[in-house]
PDB file of all heavy atoms in Angstrom:
ATOM      1  N   THR A 221     -40.190 -22.422 -21.368  1.00  0.00           N
ATOM      2  CA  THR A 221     -38.795 -22.033 -21.112  1.00  0.00           C
ATOM      3  C   THR A 221     -38.356 -20.574 -21.389  1.00  0.00           C
ATOM      4  O   THR A 221     -37.289 -20.196 -20.956  1.00  0.00           O
ATOM      5  CB  THR A 221     -37.842 -23.013 -21.764  1.00  0.00           C
ATOM      6  OG1 THR A 221     -38.112 -22.954 -23.174  1.00  0.00           O
ATOM      7  CG2 THR A 221     -38.048 -24.473 -21.268  1.00  0.00           C
ATOM      8  N   ASN A 222     -39.221 -19.929 -22.038  1.00  0.00           N
ATOM      9  CA  ASN A 222     -39.013 -18.557 -22.466  1.00  0.00           C
ATOM     10  C   ASN A 222     -39.263 -17.604 -21.169  1.00  0.00           C
ATOM     11  O   ASN A 222     -38.862 -16.441 -21.225  1.00  0.00           O
ATOM     12  CB  ASN A 222     -39.940 -18.050 -23.621  1.00  0.00           C
ATOM     13  CG  ASN A 222     -41.377 -18.373 -23.399  1.00  0.00           C
ATOM     14  OD1 ASN A 222     -41.681 -19.487 -22.905  1.00  0.00           O
ATOM     15  ND2 ASN A 222     -42.270 -17.572 -23.893  1.00  0.00           N
ATOM     16  N   VAL A 223     -39.983 -18.122 -20.203  1.00  0.00           N
ATOM     17  CA  VAL A 223     -40.274 -17.338 -19.003  1.00  0.00           C
ATOM     18  C   VAL A 223     -39.895 -18.097 -17.724  1.00  0.00           C
ATOM     19  O   VAL A 223     -40.665 -18.252 -16.700  1.00  0.00           O
ATOM     20  CB  VAL A 223     -41.742 -16.848 -18.956  1.00  0.00           C
ATOM     21  CG1 VAL A 223     -41.936 -15.615 -20.009  1.00  0.00           C
ATOM     22  CG2 VAL A 223     -42.716 -17.855 -19.436  1.00  0.00           C
ATOM     23  N   CYS A 224     -38.736 -18.599 -17.741  1.00  0.00           N
ATOM     24  CA  CYS A 224     -38.273 -19.363 -16.470  1.00  0.00           C
ATOM     25  C   CYS A 224     -38.197 -18.427 -15.353  1.00  0.00           C
ATOM     26  O   CYS A 224     -37.970 -17.197 -15.475  1.00  0.00           O
ATOM     27  CB  CYS A 224     -36.785 -19.778 -16.786  1.00  0.00           C
ATOM     28  SG  CYS A 224     -35.908 -20.508 -15.301  1.00  0.00           S
ATOM     29  N   LEU A 225     -38.590 -19.024 -14.173  1.00  0.00           N
ATOM     30  CA  LEU A 225     -38.794 -18.152 -13.062  1.00  0.00           C
ATOM     31  C   LEU A 225     -37.607 -18.039 -12.054  1.00  0.00           C
ATOM     32  O   LEU A 225     -37.523 -17.107 -11.241  1.00  0.00           O
ATOM     33  CB  LEU A 225     -39.937 -18.744 -12.089  1.00  0.00           C
ATOM     34  CG  LEU A 225     -41.245 -18.818 -12.842  1.00  0.00           C
ATOM     35  CD1 LEU A 225     -42.212 -19.721 -11.847  1.00  0.00           C
ATOM     36  CD2 LEU A 225     -41.894 -17.538 -13.173  1.00  0.00           C
ATOM     37  N   ASN A 226     -36.559 -18.664 -12.514  1.00  0.00           N
ATOM     38  CA  ASN A 226     -35.383 -18.802 -11.454  1.00  0.00           C
ATOM     39  C   ASN A 226     -34.031 -18.143 -12.091  1.00  0.00           C
ATOM     40  O   ASN A 226     -33.051 -18.164 -11.318  1.00  0.00           O
ATOM     41  CB  ASN A 226     -35.054 -20.276 -11.246  1.00  0.00           C
ATOM     42  CG  ASN A 226     -36.156 -20.771 -10.250  1.00  0.00           C
ATOM     43  OD1 ASN A 226     -36.826 -20.075  -9.445  1.00  0.00           O
ATOM     44  ND2 ASN A 226     -36.385 -22.077 -10.410  1.00  0.00           N
ATOM     45  N   VAL A 227     -34.127 -17.692 -13.354  1.00  0.00           N
ATOM     46  CA  VAL A 227     -32.797 -17.147 -13.750  1.00  0.00           C
ATOM     47  C   VAL A 227     -32.600 -15.571 -13.814  1.00  0.00           C
ATOM     48  O   VAL A 227     -31.508 -15.164 -14.146  1.00  0.00           O
ATOM     49  CB  VAL A 227     -32.596 -17.801 -15.243  1.00  0.00           C
ATOM     50  CG1 VAL A 227     -32.243 -19.153 -15.141  1.00  0.00           C
ATOM     51  CG2 VAL A 227     -33.778 -17.522 -16.071  1.00  0.00           C
ATOM     52  N   ASN A 228     -33.593 -14.870 -13.660  1.00  0.00           N
ATOM     53  CA  ASN A 228     -33.682 -13.413 -13.751  1.00  0.00           C
ATOM     54  C   ASN A 228     -34.382 -12.878 -12.574  1.00  0.00           C
ATOM     55  O   ASN A 228     -35.576 -12.968 -12.471  1.00  0.00           O
ATOM     56  CB  ASN A 228     -34.192 -12.931 -15.063  1.00  0.00           C
ATOM     57  CG  ASN A 228     -34.186 -11.510 -15.318  1.00  0.00           C
ATOM     58  OD1 ASN A 228     -33.625 -10.783 -14.345  1.00  0.00           O
ATOM     59  ND2 ASN A 228     -34.614 -10.963 -16.375  1.00  0.00           N
ATOM     60  N   PRO A 229     -33.612 -12.192 -11.576  1.00  0.00           N
ATOM     61  CA  PRO A 229     -34.401 -11.697 -10.396  1.00  0.00           C
ATOM     62  C   PRO A 229     -35.364 -10.577 -10.739  1.00  0.00           C
ATOM     63  O   PRO A 229     -36.251 -10.394  -9.935  1.00  0.00           O
ATOM     64  CB  PRO A 229     -33.198 -11.147  -9.582  1.00  0.00           C
ATOM     65  CG  PRO A 229     -32.015 -11.877 -10.010  1.00  0.00           C
ATOM     66  CD  PRO A 229     -32.171 -12.064 -11.477  1.00  0.00           C
ATOM     67  N   ASP A 230     -35.275  -9.979 -11.896  1.00  0.00           N
ATOM     68  CA  ASP A 230     -36.159  -8.857 -12.170  1.00  0.00           C
ATOM     69  C   ASP A 230     -37.540  -9.260 -12.736  1.00  0.00           C
ATOM     70  O   ASP A 230     -38.568  -8.693 -12.279  1.00  0.00           O
ATOM     71  CB  ASP A 230     -35.665  -7.862 -13.228  1.00  0.00           C
ATOM     72  CG  ASP A 230     -34.435  -7.020 -12.674  1.00  0.00           C
ATOM     73  OD1 ASP A 230     -34.580  -6.858 -11.510  1.00  0.00           O
ATOM     74  OD2 ASP A 230     -33.568  -6.617 -13.393  1.00  0.00           O
ATOM     75  N   ARG A 231     -37.502 -10.263 -13.467  1.00  0.00           N
ATOM     76  CA  ARG A 231     -38.900 -10.755 -14.096  1.00  0.00           C
ATOM     77  C   ARG A 231     -38.615 -12.085 -14.763  1.00  0.00           C
ATOM     78  O   ARG A 231     -37.469 -12.508 -14.925  1.00  0.00           O
ATOM     79  CB  ARG A 231     -39.346  -9.717 -15.141  1.00  0.00           C
ATOM     80  CG  ARG A 231     -38.412  -9.611 -16.332  1.00  0.00           C
ATOM     81  CD  ARG A 231     -39.165  -8.687 -17.396  1.00  0.00           C
ATOM     82  NE  ARG A 231     -38.347  -8.414 -18.566  1.00  0.00           N
ATOM     83  CZ  ARG A 231     -37.655  -7.416 -18.920  1.00  0.00           C
ATOM     84  NH1 ARG A 231     -37.666  -6.317 -18.051  1.00  0.00           N
ATOM     85  NH2 ARG A 231     -36.966  -7.305 -20.018  1.00  0.00           N
TER      86      ARG A 231
END
Side-chain angles (χ1 to χ4, degrees):
T221 54
N222 51 321
V223 280
C224 174
L225 301 174
N226 288 330
V227 289
N228 183 358
D230 284 336
R231 61 174 186 254

